PDB file of all heavy atoms in Angstrom:
ATOM      1  N   ALA A  36     -74.537   5.658  89.856  1.00 97.00           N
ATOM      2  CA  ALA A  36     -73.309   6.351  89.450  1.00 97.00           C
ATOM      3  C   ALA A  36     -72.910   5.978  88.030  1.00 97.00           C
ATOM      4  O   ALA A  36     -72.507   6.827  87.224  1.00 97.00           O
ATOM      5  CB  ALA A  36     -72.179   6.017  90.424  1.00 97.00           C
ATOM      6  N   ILE A  37     -73.017   4.711  87.715  1.00 97.00           N
ATOM      7  CA  ILE A  37     -72.645   4.263  86.361  1.00 97.00           C
ATOM      8  C   ILE A  37     -73.601   4.847  85.326  1.00 97.00           C
ATOM      9  O   ILE A  37     -73.186   5.350  84.280  1.00 97.00           O
ATOM     10  CB  ILE A  37     -72.602   2.720  86.300  1.00 97.00           C
ATOM     11  CG1 ILE A  37     -71.400   2.218  87.113  1.00 97.00           C
ATOM     12  CG2 ILE A  37     -72.534   2.226  84.854  1.00 97.00           C
ATOM     13  CD1 ILE A  37     -71.379   0.720  87.338  1.00 97.00           C
ATOM     14  N   LEU A  38     -74.880   4.813  85.651  1.00 98.00           N
ATOM     15  CA  LEU A  38     -75.856   5.390  84.727  1.00 98.00           C
ATOM     16  C   LEU A  38     -75.632   6.886  84.551  1.00 98.00           C
ATOM     17  O   LEU A  38     -75.632   7.399  83.420  1.00 98.00           O
ATOM     18  CB  LEU A  38     -77.275   5.111  85.228  1.00 98.00           C
ATOM     19  CG  LEU A  38     -78.405   5.673  84.358  1.00 98.00           C
ATOM     20  CD1 LEU A  38     -78.359   5.074  82.952  1.00 98.00           C
ATOM     21  CD2 LEU A  38     -79.764   5.401  85.000  1.00 98.00           C
ATOM     22  N   ASN A  39     -75.416   7.590  85.665  1.00 97.00           N
ATOM     23  CA  ASN A  39     -75.212   9.034  85.563  1.00 97.00           C
ATOM     24  C   ASN A  39     -73.944   9.381  84.800  1.00 97.00           C
ATOM     25  O   ASN A  39     -73.926  10.346  84.029  1.00 97.00           O
ATOM     26  CB  ASN A  39     -75.180   9.671  86.962  1.00 97.00           C
ATOM     27  CG  ASN A  39     -76.575   9.757  87.548  1.00 97.00           C
ATOM     28  OD1 ASN A  39     -77.564   9.847  86.813  1.00 97.00           O
ATOM     29  ND2 ASN A  39     -76.669   9.698  88.874  1.00 97.00           N
ATOM     30  N   LEU A  40     -72.911   8.601  85.020  1.00 97.00           N
ATOM     31  CA  LEU A  40     -71.681   8.839  84.256  1.00 97.00           C
ATOM     32  C   LEU A  40     -71.974   8.735  82.765  1.00 97.00           C
ATOM     33  O   LEU A  40     -71.585   9.596  81.973  1.00 97.00           O
ATOM     34  CB  LEU A  40     -70.607   7.835  84.669  1.00 97.00           C
ATOM     35  CG  LEU A  40     -69.247   7.976  83.973  1.00 97.00           C
ATOM     36  CD1 LEU A  40     -68.135   7.532  84.913  1.00 97.00           C
ATOM     37  CD2 LEU A  40     -69.181   7.153  82.693  1.00 97.00           C
ATOM     38  N   LEU A  41     -72.694   7.683  82.388  1.00 97.00           N
ATOM     39  CA  LEU A  41     -72.997   7.509  80.965  1.00 97.00           C
ATOM     40  C   LEU A  41     -73.897   8.625  80.439  1.00 97.00           C
ATOM     41  O   LEU A  41     -73.760   9.051  79.287  1.00 97.00           O
ATOM     42  CB  LEU A  41     -73.637   6.139  80.714  1.00 97.00           C
ATOM     43  CG  LEU A  41     -72.663   4.966  80.733  1.00 97.00           C
ATOM     44  CD1 LEU A  41     -73.403   3.636  80.700  1.00 97.00           C
ATOM     45  CD2 LEU A  41     -71.709   5.069  79.536  1.00 97.00           C
ATOM     46  N   ARG A  42     -74.788   9.082  81.305  1.00 98.00           N
ATOM     47  CA  ARG A  42     -75.694  10.141  80.859  1.00 98.00           C
ATOM     48  C   ARG A  42     -74.995  11.487  80.731  1.00 98.00           C
ATOM     49  O   ARG A  42     -75.505  12.384  80.080  1.00 98.00           O
ATOM     50  CB  ARG A  42     -76.865  10.272  81.843  1.00 98.00           C
ATOM     51  CG  ARG A  42     -77.861   9.127  81.689  1.00 98.00           C
ATOM     52  CD  ARG A  42     -79.024   9.289  82.645  1.00 98.00           C
ATOM     53  NE  ARG A  42     -80.082   8.341  82.305  1.00 98.00           N
ATOM     54  CZ  ARG A  42     -81.191   8.171  83.030  1.00 98.00           C
ATOM     55  NH1 ARG A  42     -81.373   8.878  84.125  1.00 98.00           N
ATOM     56  NH2 ARG A  42     -82.095   7.291  82.657  1.00 98.00           N
ATOM     57  N   ASN A  43     -73.850  11.623  81.361  1.00 97.00           N
ATOM     58  CA  ASN A  43     -73.161  12.908  81.351  1.00 97.00           C
ATOM     59  C   ASN A  43     -71.873  12.909  80.536  1.00 97.00           C
ATOM     60  O   ASN A  43     -71.020  13.779  80.714  1.00 97.00           O
ATOM     61  CB  ASN A  43     -72.863  13.349  82.783  1.00 97.00           C
ATOM     62  CG  ASN A  43     -74.142  13.710  83.518  1.00 97.00           C
ATOM     63  OD1 ASN A  43     -74.831  14.657  83.153  1.00 97.00           O
ATOM     64  ND2 ASN A  43     -74.490  12.930  84.527  1.00 97.00           N
ATOM     65  N   THR A  44     -71.733  11.939  79.677  1.00 96.00           N
ATOM     66  CA  THR A  44     -70.551  11.925  78.821  1.00 96.00           C
ATOM     67  C   THR A  44     -70.987  11.738  77.380  1.00 96.00           C
ATOM     68  O   THR A  44     -72.052  11.189  77.113  1.00 96.00           O
ATOM     69  CB  THR A  44     -69.583  10.804  79.198  1.00 96.00           C
ATOM     70  OG1 THR A  44     -68.423  10.896  78.368  1.00 96.00           O
ATOM     71  CG2 THR A  44     -70.217   9.435  78.999  1.00 96.00           C
ATOM     72  N   LYS A  45     -70.133  12.188  76.477  1.00 94.00           N
ATOM     73  CA  LYS A  45     -70.393  11.930  75.063  1.00 94.00           C
ATOM     74  C   LYS A  45     -69.363  10.994  74.480  1.00 94.00           C
ATOM     75  O   LYS A  45     -69.289  10.796  73.268  1.00 94.00           O
ATOM     76  CB  LYS A  45     -70.382  13.258  74.285  1.00 94.00           C
ATOM     77  CG  LYS A  45     -71.510  14.179  74.697  1.00 94.00           C
ATOM     78  CD  LYS A  45     -71.646  15.363  73.767  1.00 94.00           C
ATOM     79  CE  LYS A  45     -72.958  16.106  74.054  1.00 94.00           C
ATOM     80  NZ  LYS A  45     -73.181  17.245  73.166  1.00 94.00           N
ATOM     81  N   GLU A  46     -68.538  10.413  75.368  1.00 93.00           N
ATOM     82  CA  GLU A  46     -67.405   9.669  74.798  1.00 93.00           C
ATOM     83  C   GLU A  46     -67.585   8.153  74.656  1.00 93.00           C
ATOM     84  O   GLU A  46     -66.650   7.473  74.293  1.00 93.00           O
ATOM     85  CB  GLU A  46     -66.110   9.985  75.543  1.00 93.00           C
ATOM     86  CG  GLU A  46     -66.188   9.865  77.044  1.00 93.00           C
ATOM     87  CD  GLU A  46     -64.816  10.074  77.695  1.00 93.00           C
ATOM     88  OE1 GLU A  46     -64.462  11.215  78.029  1.00 93.00           O
ATOM     89  OE2 GLU A  46     -64.113   9.078  77.867  1.00 93.00           O
ATOM     90  N   HIS A  47     -68.769   7.646  74.948  1.00 95.00           N
ATOM     91  CA  HIS A  47     -69.000   6.222  74.720  1.00 95.00           C
ATOM     92  C   HIS A  47     -67.921   5.353  75.358  1.00 95.00           C
ATOM     93  O   HIS A  47     -67.220   4.606  74.683  1.00 95.00           O
ATOM     94  CB  HIS A  47     -69.095   5.941  73.210  1.00 95.00           C
ATOM     95  CG  HIS A  47     -70.088   6.796  72.506  1.00 95.00           C
ATOM     96  ND1 HIS A  47     -69.765   8.011  71.972  1.00 95.00           N
ATOM     97  CD2 HIS A  47     -71.406   6.636  72.264  1.00 95.00           C
ATOM     98  CE1 HIS A  47     -70.842   8.567  71.410  1.00 95.00           C
ATOM     99  NE2 HIS A  47     -71.859   7.748  71.585  1.00 95.00           N
ATOM    100  N   PRO A  48     -67.801   5.423  76.678  1.00 95.00           N
ATOM    101  CA  PRO A  48     -66.698   4.720  77.346  1.00 95.00           C
ATOM    102  C   PRO A  48     -66.875   3.206  77.417  1.00 95.00           C
ATOM    103  O   PRO A  48     -67.986   2.691  77.294  1.00 95.00           O
ATOM    104  CB  PRO A  48     -66.720   5.319  78.757  1.00 95.00           C
ATOM    105  CG  PRO A  48     -68.131   5.741  78.966  1.00 95.00           C
ATOM    106  CD  PRO A  48     -68.615   6.206  77.626  1.00 95.00           C
ATOM    107  N   THR A  49     -65.761   2.526  77.628  1.00 95.00           N
ATOM    108  CA  THR A  49     -65.769   1.083  77.865  1.00 95.00           C
ATOM    109  C   THR A  49     -65.965   0.815  79.354  1.00 95.00           C
ATOM    110  O   THR A  49     -65.895   1.740  80.177  1.00 95.00           O
ATOM    111  CB  THR A  49     -64.426   0.459  77.454  1.00 95.00           C
ATOM    112  OG1 THR A  49     -63.393   1.017  78.286  1.00 95.00           O
ATOM    113  CG2 THR A  49     -64.095   0.750  75.998  1.00 95.00           C
ATOM    114  N   ALA A  50     -66.165  -0.449  79.710  1.00 95.00           N
ATOM    115  CA  ALA A  50     -66.308  -0.828  81.116  1.00 95.00           C
ATOM    116  C   ALA A  50     -65.066  -0.394  81.905  1.00 95.00           C
ATOM    117  O   ALA A  50     -65.170   0.156  83.008  1.00 95.00           O
ATOM    118  CB  ALA A  50     -66.507  -2.337  81.234  1.00 95.00           C
ATOM    119  N   GLU A  51     -63.921  -0.656  81.355  1.00 95.00           N
ATOM    120  CA  GLU A  51     -62.648  -0.278  81.973  1.00 95.00           C
ATOM    121  C   GLU A  51     -62.571   1.228  82.235  1.00 95.00           C
ATOM    122  O   GLU A  51     -62.187   1.662  83.315  1.00 95.00           O
ATOM    123  CB  GLU A  51     -61.514  -0.710  81.028  1.00 95.00           C
ATOM    124  CG  GLU A  51     -60.119  -0.440  81.527  1.00 95.00           C
ATOM    125  CD  GLU A  51     -59.688  -1.409  82.617  1.00 95.00           C
ATOM    126  OE1 GLU A  51     -60.177  -2.556  82.633  1.00 95.00           O
ATOM    127  OE2 GLU A  51     -58.864  -1.001  83.460  1.00 95.00           O
ATOM    128  N   THR A  52     -62.948   2.016  81.246  1.00 95.00           N
ATOM    129  CA  THR A  52     -62.914   3.474  81.385  1.00 95.00           C
ATOM    130  C   THR A  52     -63.893   3.939  82.457  1.00 95.00           C
ATOM    131  O   THR A  52     -63.579   4.814  83.260  1.00 95.00           O
ATOM    132  CB  THR A  52     -63.270   4.132  80.042  1.00 95.00           C
ATOM    133  OG1 THR A  52     -62.391   3.638  79.038  1.00 95.00           O
ATOM    134  CG2 THR A  52     -63.129   5.642  80.116  1.00 95.00           C
ATOM    135  N   ILE A  53     -65.062   3.359  82.458  1.00 96.00           N
ATOM    136  CA  ILE A  53     -66.063   3.705  83.469  1.00 96.00           C
ATOM    137  C   ILE A  53     -65.515   3.403  84.862  1.00 96.00           C
ATOM    138  O   ILE A  53     -65.604   4.223  85.776  1.00 96.00           O
ATOM    139  CB  ILE A  53     -67.376   2.928  83.215  1.00 96.00           C
ATOM    140  CG1 ILE A  53     -68.024   3.404  81.916  1.00 96.00           C
ATOM    141  CG2 ILE A  53     -68.331   3.079  84.390  1.00 96.00           C
ATOM    142  CD1 ILE A  53     -69.152   2.505  81.416  1.00 96.00           C
ATOM    143  N   TYR A  54     -64.938   2.243  84.992  1.00 96.00           N
ATOM    144  CA  TYR A  54     -64.352   1.843  86.277  1.00 96.00           C
ATOM    145  C   TYR A  54     -63.308   2.851  86.736  1.00 96.00           C
ATOM    146  O   TYR A  54     -63.329   3.312  87.881  1.00 96.00           O
ATOM    147  CB  TYR A  54     -63.735   0.452  86.149  1.00 96.00           C
ATOM    148  CG  TYR A  54     -62.922   0.049  87.346  1.00 96.00           C
ATOM    149  CD1 TYR A  54     -63.537  -0.309  88.545  1.00 96.00           C
ATOM    150  CD2 TYR A  54     -61.536   0.061  87.291  1.00 96.00           C
ATOM    151  CE1 TYR A  54     -62.791  -0.655  89.649  1.00 96.00           C
ATOM    152  CE2 TYR A  54     -60.783  -0.293  88.397  1.00 96.00           C
ATOM    153  CZ  TYR A  54     -61.414  -0.649  89.571  1.00 96.00           C
ATOM    154  OH  TYR A  54     -60.677  -0.989  90.668  1.00 96.00           O
ATOM    155  N   LYS A  55     -62.416   3.216  85.852  1.00 94.00           N
ATOM    156  CA  LYS A  55     -61.336   4.149  86.222  1.00 94.00           C
ATOM    157  C   LYS A  55     -61.872   5.517  86.629  1.00 94.00           C
ATOM    158  O   LYS A  55     -61.311   6.175  87.497  1.00 94.00           O
ATOM    159  CB  LYS A  55     -60.348   4.300  85.066  1.00 94.00           C
ATOM    160  CG  LYS A  55     -59.430   3.093  84.925  1.00 94.00           C
ATOM    161  CD  LYS A  55     -58.430   3.299  83.796  1.00 94.00           C
ATOM    162  CE  LYS A  55     -57.525   2.065  83.654  1.00 94.00           C
ATOM    163  NZ  LYS A  55     -56.926   1.972  82.314  1.00 94.00           N
ATOM    164  N   LYS A  56     -62.950   5.934  85.997  1.00 95.00           N
ATOM    165  CA  LYS A  56     -63.503   7.242  86.342  1.00 95.00           C
ATOM    166  C   LYS A  56     -64.251   7.222  87.660  1.00 95.00           C
ATOM    167  O   LYS A  56     -64.372   8.253  88.316  1.00 95.00           O
ATOM    168  CB  LYS A  56     -64.457   7.711  85.238  1.00 95.00           C
ATOM    169  CG  LYS A  56     -63.714   7.993  83.954  1.00 95.00           C
ATOM    170  CD  LYS A  56     -64.503   8.909  83.041  1.00 95.00           C
ATOM    171  CE  LYS A  56     -63.628   9.253  81.843  1.00 95.00           C
ATOM    172  NZ  LYS A  56     -64.267  10.151  80.896  1.00 95.00           N
ATOM    173  N   LEU A  57     -64.776   6.069  88.035  1.00 95.00           N
ATOM    174  CA  LEU A  57     -65.595   6.011  89.246  1.00 95.00           C
ATOM    175  C   LEU A  57     -64.814   5.613  90.484  1.00 95.00           C
ATOM    176  O   LEU A  57     -65.238   5.893  91.604  1.00 95.00           O
ATOM    177  CB  LEU A  57     -66.756   5.037  89.034  1.00 95.00           C
ATOM    178  CG  LEU A  57     -67.846   5.521  88.084  1.00 95.00           C
ATOM    179  CD1 LEU A  57     -68.909   4.458  87.911  1.00 95.00           C
ATOM    180  CD2 LEU A  57     -68.479   6.818  88.617  1.00 95.00           C
ATOM    181  N   VAL A  58     -63.679   4.982  90.292  1.00 93.00           N
ATOM    182  CA  VAL A  58     -62.993   4.394  91.445  1.00 93.00           C
ATOM    183  C   VAL A  58     -62.491   5.450  92.432  1.00 93.00           C
ATOM    184  O   VAL A  58     -62.346   5.160  93.621  1.00 93.00           O
ATOM    185  CB  VAL A  58     -61.869   3.438  90.987  1.00 93.00           C
ATOM    186  CG1 VAL A  58     -60.660   4.214  90.517  1.00 93.00           C
ATOM    187  CG2 VAL A  58     -61.520   2.446  92.080  1.00 93.00           C
ATOM    188  N   SER A  59     -62.287   6.680  91.963  1.00 92.00           N
ATOM    189  CA  SER A  59     -61.870   7.719  92.910  1.00 92.00           C
ATOM    190  C   SER A  59     -63.028   8.122  93.820  1.00 92.00           C
ATOM    191  O   SER A  59     -62.842   8.333  95.015  1.00 92.00           O
ATOM    192  CB  SER A  59     -61.311   8.933  92.158  1.00 92.00           C
ATOM    193  OG  SER A  59     -62.181   9.302  91.122  1.00 92.00           O
ATOM    194  N   ASP A  60     -64.236   8.208  93.258  1.00 92.00           N
ATOM    195  CA  ASP A  60     -65.400   8.533  94.082  1.00 92.00           C
ATOM    196  C   ASP A  60     -65.912   7.334  94.873  1.00 92.00           C
ATOM    197  O   ASP A  60     -66.497   7.484  95.929  1.00 92.00           O
ATOM    198  CB  ASP A  60     -66.545   9.055  93.195  1.00 92.00           C
ATOM    199  CG  ASP A  60     -66.288  10.476  92.726  1.00 92.00           C
ATOM    200  OD1 ASP A  60     -65.509  11.189  93.385  1.00 92.00           O
ATOM    201  OD2 ASP A  60     -66.861  10.868  91.696  1.00 92.00           O
ATOM    202  N   PHE A  61     -65.716   6.139  94.296  1.00 94.00           N
ATOM    203  CA  PHE A  61     -66.175   4.909  94.945  1.00 94.00           C
ATOM    204  C   PHE A  61     -64.983   3.971  95.094  1.00 94.00           C
ATOM    205  O   PHE A  61     -64.814   3.060  94.276  1.00 94.00           O
ATOM    206  CB  PHE A  61     -67.264   4.223  94.114  1.00 94.00           C
ATOM    207  CG  PHE A  61     -68.526   5.019  93.969  1.00 94.00           C
ATOM    208  CD1 PHE A  61     -68.607   6.062  93.050  1.00 94.00           C
ATOM    209  CD2 PHE A  61     -69.647   4.722  94.751  1.00 94.00           C
ATOM    210  CE1 PHE A  61     -69.787   6.796  92.913  1.00 94.00           C
ATOM    211  CE2 PHE A  61     -70.822   5.461  94.612  1.00 94.00           C
ATOM    212  CZ  PHE A  61     -70.893   6.505  93.701  1.00 94.00           C
ATOM    213  N   PRO A  62     -64.194   4.183  96.126  1.00 92.00           N
ATOM    214  CA  PRO A  62     -62.934   3.432  96.240  1.00 92.00           C
ATOM    215  C   PRO A  62     -63.123   1.915  96.297  1.00 92.00           C
ATOM    216  O   PRO A  62     -62.200   1.172  95.970  1.00 92.00           O
ATOM    217  CB  PRO A  62     -62.336   3.949  97.548  1.00 92.00           C
ATOM    218  CG  PRO A  62     -63.024   5.249  97.809  1.00 92.00           C
ATOM    219  CD  PRO A  62     -64.399   5.098  97.248  1.00 92.00           C
ATOM    220  N   THR A  63     -64.319   1.477  96.681  1.00 92.00           N
ATOM    221  CA  THR A  63     -64.521   0.030  96.757  1.00 92.00           C
ATOM    222  C   THR A  63     -65.120  -0.545  95.478  1.00 92.00           C
ATOM    223  O   THR A  63     -65.333  -1.753  95.386  1.00 92.00           O
ATOM    224  CB  THR A  63     -65.462  -0.336  97.924  1.00 92.00           C
ATOM    225  OG1 THR A  63     -66.780   0.140  97.628  1.00 92.00           O
ATOM    226  CG2 THR A  63     -64.982   0.284  99.229  1.00 92.00           C
ATOM    227  N   MET A  64     -65.386   0.313  94.531  1.00 94.00           N
ATOM    228  CA  MET A  64     -65.967  -0.157  93.260  1.00 94.00           C
ATOM    229  C   MET A  64     -65.073  -1.232  92.628  1.00 94.00           C
ATOM    230  O   MET A  64     -63.858  -1.105  92.604  1.00 94.00           O
ATOM    231  CB  MET A  64     -66.088   1.035  92.306  1.00 94.00           C
ATOM    232  CG  MET A  64     -66.563   0.684  90.903  1.00 94.00           C
ATOM    233  SD  MET A  64     -68.331   0.355  90.814  1.00 94.00           S
ATOM    234  CE  MET A  64     -68.995   2.015  90.942  1.00 94.00           C
ATOM    235  N   SER A  65     -65.703  -2.272  92.110  1.00 94.00           N
ATOM    236  CA  SER A  65     -64.919  -3.288  91.411  1.00 94.00           C
ATOM    237  C   SER A  65     -65.337  -3.382  89.957  1.00 94.00           C
ATOM    238  O   SER A  65     -66.453  -3.018  89.583  1.00 94.00           O
ATOM    239  CB  SER A  65     -65.073  -4.647  92.092  1.00 94.00           C
ATOM    240  OG  SER A  65     -66.199  -5.321  91.596  1.00 94.00           O
ATOM    241  N   LEU A  66     -64.411  -3.870  89.153  1.00 95.00           N
ATOM    242  CA  LEU A  66     -64.681  -3.985  87.729  1.00 95.00           C
ATOM    243  C   LEU A  66     -65.825  -4.966  87.475  1.00 95.00           C
ATOM    244  O   LEU A  66     -66.641  -4.768  86.570  1.00 95.00           O
ATOM    245  CB  LEU A  66     -63.406  -4.442  87.018  1.00 95.00           C
ATOM    246  CG  LEU A  66     -63.320  -4.304  85.512  1.00 95.00           C
ATOM    247  CD1 LEU A  66     -63.710  -2.927  85.016  1.00 95.00           C
ATOM    248  CD2 LEU A  66     -61.897  -4.638  85.058  1.00 95.00           C
TER     249      LEU A  66
END
Side-chain angles (χ1 to χ4, degrees):
Chain A
I37 290 170
L38 180 61
N39 285 332
L40 181 149
L41 284 171
R42 285 181 169 175
N43 291 296
T44 183
K45 295 190 169 182
E46 50 175 90
H47 307 89
T49 63
E51 182 75 28
T52 305
I53 293 167
Y54 171 74
K55 284 182 181 158
K56 293 201 174 181
L57 289 178
V58 77
S59 48
D60 285 337
F61 296 79
T63 68
M64 175 76 75
S65 87
L66 195 49

